[in-house]
Amino acid sequence: MKLRAAVHLLLAFAALSRAYVPAHATDSEYEAEAAGQNFTDPSRLVLSWWPDEPGTPEQVSHQISGQNSTGISRGAFVHFSEDNLLNGTTPWVAWISCDESNTTSPYPDTDIFTLAYERGAKAAILYSVESLTCYLTSDYSKKAKANPTLDIYMTQSLGVSRWVEDQFKQRIPADLLSNHSSFDPVVLNSSMHTIEEAFPDNAIPKRGYIIASLYASVNGTLANPGSSSSTSTSAPAGTPTSAATSVTSHVELYSKGLGWLITFLIGAYIL
């Protein structure tokens, strides 16, 4: 009897924990930009999986800065919807659909990002496999900027969203796919050491989860994994380095060297 009562209580709590997704999918760049989407944002998503090196960085838009955000978020990369329940203690990144089938809920007081944050998510990425991109509702955007929880990103194209979706099936072994591609706090917590071992250099020690690393852009500069500041001048490992920055550095070195040479020659002439 006690077990049955506990099950009923758990199911009731699960219903109360459902949440809505405060975002919409769109095929209109104009509509997305009007809602705050930035298609020139150079923020990056880097996915890593066993046994390969980190994949090619994909450009994403950093929409909301979380509370105490450093501009860098890392964790096991999993689908997350309003059907998930229990809390996790292992770092994870939520992959959340903004397609119509996932944007309504009978419990409109709780949003999906708050639910993910309360369950230990370090960041969330909105995506659509049916439309160009997503955008946050104006009401939620105002609320999130006033009381931020976690970093929120968005994919910038349908192609990127579908490519990322494909990686779950291609990179996670078939026997692990069901519980390593979607949020499962029990499996996550049992994999904590494996996931944390991957953080220093994005090298995954064994098969299982895909690891997501997100690098936010602040004023066009990517967060540096070697710094707690999100305004570092260094690009993170695994992301493309700007050719303009490289050229500028060489010009500066050349100018300094030329200046030293002129100073030396003037001094020698005076002597």
Side-chain angles (χ1 to χ4, degrees):
M1 293 295 293
K2 289 184 179 180
L3 178 60
R4 182 178 299 176
V7 170
H8 284 302
L9 181 63
L10 183 62
L11 292 174
F13 183 69
L16 292 174
S17 296
R18 291 178 63 84
Y20 73 104
V21 179
H24 300 289
T26 181
D27 282 318
S28 169
E29 282 193 20
Y30 175 81
E31 184 178 27
E33 287 176 336
Q37 166 77 286
N38 181 3
F39 288 95
T40 62
D41 186 344
S43 297
R44 293 288 189 269
L45 164 66
V46 179
L47 299 182
S48 306
W49 49 77
W50 181 89
D52 300 320
E53 296 295 321
T56 302
E58 298 295 340
Q59 193 165 320
V60 291
S61 295
H62 186 210
Q63 203 73 10
I64 300 292
S65 291
Q67 186 178 22
N68 302 319
S69 173
T70 63
I72 300 173
S73 303
R74 286 172 170 161
F77 190 46
V78 293
H79 294 87
F80 185 68
S81 70
E82 62 265 37
D83 294 323
N84 299 117
L85 175 63
L86 301 176
N87 295 349
T89 57
T90 300
W92 61 283
V93 172
W95 180 240
I96 299 172
S97 172
C98 72
D99 290 323
E100 193 62 31
S101 60
N102 199 36
T103 58
T104 59
S105 169
Y107 306 96
D109 293 333
T110 305
D111 65 86
I112 194 73
F113 304 114
T114 297
L115 199 64
Y117 174 73
E118 290 174 347
R119 280 145 186 78
K122 300 306 178 184
I125 309 174
L126 279 170
Y127 75 97
S128 170
V129 293
E130 299 175 359
S131 303
L132 172 67
T133 188
C134 309
Y135 66 88
L136 294 173
T137 62
S138 58
D139 288 344
Y140 180 78
S141 184
K142 292 175 183 177
K143 171 189 171 183
K145 289 176 181 177
N147 298 288
T149 52
L150 76 174
D151 285 291
I152 299 174
Y153 295 81
M154 296 182 188
T155 56
Q156 296 183 3
S157 72
L158 177 61
V160 168
S161 295
R162 288 180 173 175
W163 178 84
V164 171
E165 272 290 283
D166 287 342
Q167 302 316 301
F168 286 104
K169 295 179 181 179
Q170 293 181 20
R171 309 301 178 180
I172 299 176
D175 60 317
L176 300 178
L177 183 60
S178 62
N179 57 15
H180 283 70
S181 62
S182 295
F183 178 70
D184 183 328
V186 175
V187 179
L188 264 175
N189 292 342
S190 67
S191 305
M192 178 185 293
H193 296 301
T194 299
I195 293 168
E196 291 182 341
E197 281 180 33
F199 289 167
D201 54 7
N202 290 334
I204 314 302
K206 65 180 182 179
R207 68 190 195 128
Y209 285 105
I210 292 175
I211 302 298
S213 298
L214 286 156
Y215 303 96
S217 169
V218 178
N219 298 324
T221 300
L222 290 175
N224 178 10
S227 168
S228 60
S229 171
S230 62
T231 57
S232 169
T233 57
S234 300
T239 61
T241 302
S242 168
T245 302
S246 178
V247 170
T248 301
S249 298
H250 283 85
V251 169
E252 288 176 350
L253 288 172
Y254 175 79
S255 299
K256 289 179 181 179
L258 185 60
W260 293 332
L261 179 60
I262 292 173
T263 301
F264 173 78
L265 292 175
I266 292 174
Y269 177 78
I270 293 174
L271 291 173

